[in-house]
Amino acid sequence: MECPFIRVEESGGVVQLLGEVTTVGRGKFVDVQLADPSVSMLHAELIRRGPYVYVTDLGLSRNGTRVNGRLVARRLLADGDVVTFGSARCRIGGVAGEELSADADLRRPATPELTRRELDVVTSLCRPALSDEAFVAPAAAREIAVDLVVTEAAVKQHLLRLYQKLRIPEGPNRRVRLANEVVALGLVRPLPQPMLPDRAAQGATPAPPGTAASPATPPAAPHPSVPSVAALPQAVPPQAASPQPEAAPGPAGAISPATW
């Protein structure tokens, strides 16, 4: 064939990548339709840029996209690569080859393959940090255990294996460094805002549009040396932050950047 193509192993069907973008999924209106239930309605895209083809996982499925067995968020494809969408295996062909030096191949970063439970752990770990709130640390082991309905000891075992797989050295803020690494690798992505848990707003009554929400308890009188909330620069839109009673002089209750 004169242009790159993708072959679905289960059906043997071949789809030429004629356009700049080829959509892949289980939906009715995608370009490469896969009947496998592990594939999301709109799962991934195959992008052509000149002679190059790369795959982009759209982050809409828990099962992800793999290239030659490795979970990826975005990956340049070569002729003969096996791309797995969920459990549906496909093979890429017709891609022009390009010789790379041995040194360049060694410098290519490898994304470690994570188990389903490890992906659940890193997703729960990063969920607070991917919200719109400022200076929020990743979830603690106890919070992850509650989120996944497992024991805290099991979560700590998974975190130890993740530290080893992603080569996170011992030291302070190890969870923060792990969260930064998985986000940089594209293993975890921000969820749509309605799906993010608003931990700061739990127990508070939503205020009607255009009005300020009332705190559960009356705020303490502000100290002259403590600037008001209105005088501070806002890191997030007002509607994303929950009102908090002003505390008396002393250590601040909010999480500071030092926790990162």
Side-chain angles (χ1 to χ4, degrees), residues 22-70:
T22 301
T23 54
V24 181
R26 190 165 42 90
K28 182 178 180 181
F29 301 103
V30 298
D31 301 314
V32 180
Q33 190 173 27
L34 303 172
D36 194 298
S38 66
V39 179
S40 66
M41 301 296 286
L42 182 60
H43 195 106
E45 291 178 342
L46 296 168
I47 314 294
R48 289 189 62 183
R49 291 289 185 267
Y52 305 105
V53 178
Y54 66 89
V55 62
T56 298
D57 182 86
L58 297 178
L60 303 176
S61 172
R62 289 176 58 88
N63 300 308
T65 300
R66 298 176 184 271
V67 176
N68 299 327
R70 292 189 179 276

Side-chain angles (χ1 to χ4, degrees), residues 51 78-79 94-99:
D79 192 64
V95 178
E98 183 173 342
E99 293 184 1

Side-chain angles (χ1 to χ4, degrees), residues 222-227 249:
H223 192 275
S225 63
V226 179

Side-chain angles (χ1 to χ4, degrees), residues 128-129 133-139 143 175-176 199 251-260:
E133 300 177 5
F135 312 136
V136 179
E143 296 173 310
R175 283 186 302 109
V176 174
R199 301 187 178 186
I255 300 176
S256 66
T259 60
W260 284 87

Side-chain angles (χ1 to χ4, degrees), residues 126-147:
C126 298
R127 185 173 288 121
L130 293 176
S131 68
D132 283 343
E133 300 177 5
F135 312 136
V136 179
R142 181 175 62 255
E143 296 173 310
I144 298 174
V146 172
D147 187 21

Side-chain angles (χ1 to χ4, degrees), residues 89-113:
R89 287 168 54 91
C90 302
R91 189 176 295 272
I92 298 295
V95 178
E98 183 173 342
E99 293 184 1
L100 295 176
S101 66
D103 292 339
D105 190 62
L106 288 174
R107 288 194 299 267
R108 183 183 301 168
T111 303
E113 184 173 352

Side-chain angles (χ1 to χ4, degrees), residues 93-231:
V95 178
E98 183 173 342
E99 293 184 1
L100 295 176
S101 66
D103 292 339
D105 190 62
L106 288 174
R107 288 194 299 267
R108 183 183 301 168
T111 303
E113 184 173 352
L114 305 184
T115 65
R116 176 69 60 82
R117 179 52 73 183
E118 288 170 345
L119 286 173
D120 290 340
V121 169
V122 296
T123 299
S124 181
L125 170 74
C126 298
R127 185 173 288 121
L130 293 176
S131 68
D132 283 343
E133 300 177 5
F135 312 136
V136 179
R142 181 175 62 255
E143 296 173 310
I144 298 174
V146 172
D147 187 21
L148 301 181
V149 195
V150 296
T151 65
E152 187 174 347
V155 171
K156 290 181 178 179
Q157 289 295 323
H158 284 299
L159 287 174
L160 287 175
R161 285 195 290 268
L162 287 165
Y163 293 145
Q164 295 172 357
K165 282 189 174 183
L166 296 171
R167 300 178 181 179
I168 307 298
E170 295 183 3
N173 299 325
R174 203 176 187 187
R175 283 186 302 109
V176 174
R177 287 181 281 128
L178 173 63
N180 289 336
E181 183 67 15
V182 296
V183 171
L185 291 173
L187 298 176
V188 175
R189 296 182 178 185
L191 295 172
Q193 187 60 30
M195 298 176 63
L196 289 170
D198 190 359
R199 301 187 178 186
Q202 288 180 357
T205 304
T211 62
S214 299
T217 58
H223 192 275
S225 63
V226 179
S228 65
V229 175

